[in-house]
Amino acid sequence: MYVADSRSTPAAPAARLTTGRRSAVAPTVLALGAVSLITDVSSEMVTAVLPLYLVTGLGLSPLGFGLLDGVYNGFSALVRLVGGHLADRGGRHKSVAVLGYGLSAVCKPLLLVAGSLPVIGAVLAADRTGKGLRTAPRDAMISLASAPEARGRAFGVHRAMDTAGALLGPLVAFLILRQAVDGYDAVFTVSFCVAAVGVLVLVLFVPGRTAPERAPGAPRASLKAALALLGEREVRRLALCALLLGLATVSDSFVYLLLQRRLDVPDRWFALLPLGTAAAFLLLAVPLGRLADRVGRWQVFLGGHAALLCAYALLLPGWRGDALPYVVLALHGLFYAATDGVLMAAAAGGVPAELRSSGLALIQTGQASARFVCSIAFGAAWTAWGDRTALGTAAVALAVCAAGAVLLRPADAAETDGGRPA
């Protein structure tokens, strides 16, 4: 099925999407979803145990963990534009994605020998370099294979499959920690094996070329051309909103550490906390993607940050009840379902196909850089003032940033394709 798809012209999948009352999801999207599912099982196995491994096992302070977490989640910002540029030159989206997935896979077993802060930081930086290289090309392939009016649904399907892996990863890590003598070493080893399978699926089942031939007069792929996209009013506004809201988006790991402290969750159960976020994300990604296609992607994106603000408020002192962790994790998953793929679906409409990977990388870079700053700032605030004050400050900052984003309010790009009528 995927081999046949790779021989068709790039426009063919999108054309087939419009037949019938309800749009079908392109085979390329499903294949990339399978790759992301497998890879997320691997990466979330590590993510689920890493906070506890670093803070409890290696004795890092919240500030030290904040620095490492900032590297883990923000270092990819430094290479996303490079990955997007390489992918757009000659339409080599798959080749750059393979490089990125492969680099991240190789980093997993290196955690076995990383026992100090500098070495762990270097390994995590290399892992995030791989993520930075692959993310924009992958999202560009999804958008290019999908009809403009169905991109929200396509990204929702991909993110749902991706999140199925995120749901399984912590569960596998939890089972390994309970059964293995050297639990952390076993988690890192199994994670590498699973990541290698994901790379193999990408090589075998994702079409080799998804980008259209460059039209006469179309811009050539270059970093200068990508940066010039910020001259477009709506692209600039969308990028600024993503950056602004990212400045107040506390890292997932800190959310789970806060929940553990509020509820006195035993260490052996900590790896299960991400399952709540992943379950909500999995259930809501496709419905919210379809909703974004119908009512507007910007509205859904902003609503997701409202859900995150509610989660912050519930983590502050004064809220009690057995349902508290379930509500917080459900809101956390709703936030990701309403923002992750929806942002890329909105951005794709304002970026020409020839610069699709570079344009998406530009917006992702701003968002990732902002979250890098937020992670370090939150870790420093926690160390200096305590977790309650740090979280209260983050909640106020998110409310202020959301108000600023409302004022900017970029137009929804659902009706356009690369700045031209769809």
Side-chain angles (χ1 to χ4, degrees):
M1 174 171 62
Y2 304 121
V3 174
D5 183 52
S6 68
R7 297 193 191 105
S8 63
T9 61
R16 287 195 298 271
L17 288 172
T18 58
T19 61
R21 184 179 179 84
R22 295 178 63 180
S23 300
V25 176
T28 298
V29 177
L30 298 178
L32 288 168
V35 173
S36 293
L37 188 155
I38 297 168
T39 302
D40 249 38
V41 171
S42 168
S43 60
E44 292 302 321
M45 286 174 61
V46 174
T47 302
V49 303
L50 197 61
L52 204 61
Y53 175 65
L54 295 175
V55 175
T56 303
L58 299 183
L60 291 182
S61 67
L63 176 57
F65 176 73
L67 289 170
L68 276 182
D69 192 71
V71 169
Y72 191 70
N73 291 296
F75 192 83
S76 61
L78 300 178
V79 294
R80 290 194 186 202
L81 281 176
V82 176
H85 169 64
L86 292 176
D88 283 336
R89 287 180 65 89
R92 296 177 293 187
H93 297 90
K94 177 179 175 179
S95 298
V96 177
V98 169
L99 176 62
Y101 279 105
L103 179 58
S104 293
V106 169
C107 289
K108 299 299 189 295
L110 295 180
L111 289 169
L112 294 169
V113 296
S116 64
L117 182 62
V119 176
I120 293 174
V123 173
L124 295 181
D127 177 76
R128 293 300 91 180
T129 297
K131 182 176 176 62
L133 287 173
R134 73 181 185 245
T135 301
R138 180 203 66 198
D139 286 347
M141 285 190 282
I142 293 171
S143 69
L144 291 168
S146 307
E149 68 275 7
R151 284 192 185 125
R153 181 167 181 248
F155 276 99
V157 169
H158 174 268
R159 294 318 196 247
M161 297 178 71
D162 180 280
T163 307
L167 190 65
L168 292 173
L171 182 60
V172 174
F174 169 74
L175 295 175
I176 292 174
L177 287 176
R178 286 182 62 90
Q179 299 298 324
V181 177
D182 297 321
Y184 292 119
D185 289 353
V187 167
F188 299 149
T189 301
V190 174
S191 174
F192 165 69
C193 296
V194 176
V197 174
V199 176
L200 186 63
V201 172
L202 174 61
V203 171
L204 294 178
F205 296 105
V206 174
R209 183 179 179 84
T210 53
E213 297 292 341
R214 193 172 70 90
R220 289 186 177 275
S222 67
L223 292 178
K224 181 179 179 181
L227 293 174
L229 291 172
L230 292 176
E232 299 290 335
R233 180 171 178 268
E234 297 307 326
V235 174
R236 182 174 63 252
R237 285 193 172 191
L238 190 63
L240 186 56
C241 286
L243 186 150
L244 189 63
L245 292 166
L247 287 172
T249 301
V250 173
S251 165
D252 299 355
S253 298
F254 278 125
V255 171
Y256 302 140
L257 285 171
L258 287 165
L259 264 178
Q260 185 200 30
R261 294 200 171 200
R262 283 287 311 275
L263 304 173
D264 295 322
V265 176
D267 289 354
R268 66 180 181 275
W269 298 106
F270 181 84
L272 294 181
L273 290 178
L275 293 179
T277 297
F281 193 170
L282 176 63
L283 292 174
L284 296 172
V286 175
L288 288 178
R290 295 179 61 191
L291 179 66
D293 286 335
R294 293 204 310 269
V295 305
R297 292 156 189 165
W298 167 245
Q299 290 89 329
V300 173
F301 179 73
L302 195 60
H305 285 85
L308 182 63
L309 182 59
C310 291
Y312 288 176
L314 290 174
L315 284 171
L316 291 170
W319 296 96
R320 288 183 172 83
D322 295 336
L324 177 63
Y326 304 103
V327 175
V328 169
L329 293 174
L331 288 169
H332 199 223
L334 189 156
F335 158 69
Y336 277 112
T339 58
D340 190 9
V342 171
L343 176 62
M344 292 297 96
V351 178
E354 297 82 3
L355 296 173
R356 185 64 50 82
S357 186
S358 301
L360 297 185
L362 188 67
I363 293 175
Q364 292 167 352
T365 296
Q367 185 182 57
S369 300
R371 291 182 177 181
F372 175 81
V373 172
C374 181
S375 186
I376 294 176
F378 188 85
W382 186 338
T383 302
W385 306 322
D387 56 344
R388 296 180 179 180
T389 303
L391 183 60
T393 303
V396 172
L398 180 57
V400 172
C401 291
V406 169
L407 294 178
L408 288 172
R409 187 178 172 79
D412 197 297
E415 301 301 323
T416 65
D417 185 22
R420 299 178 296 275

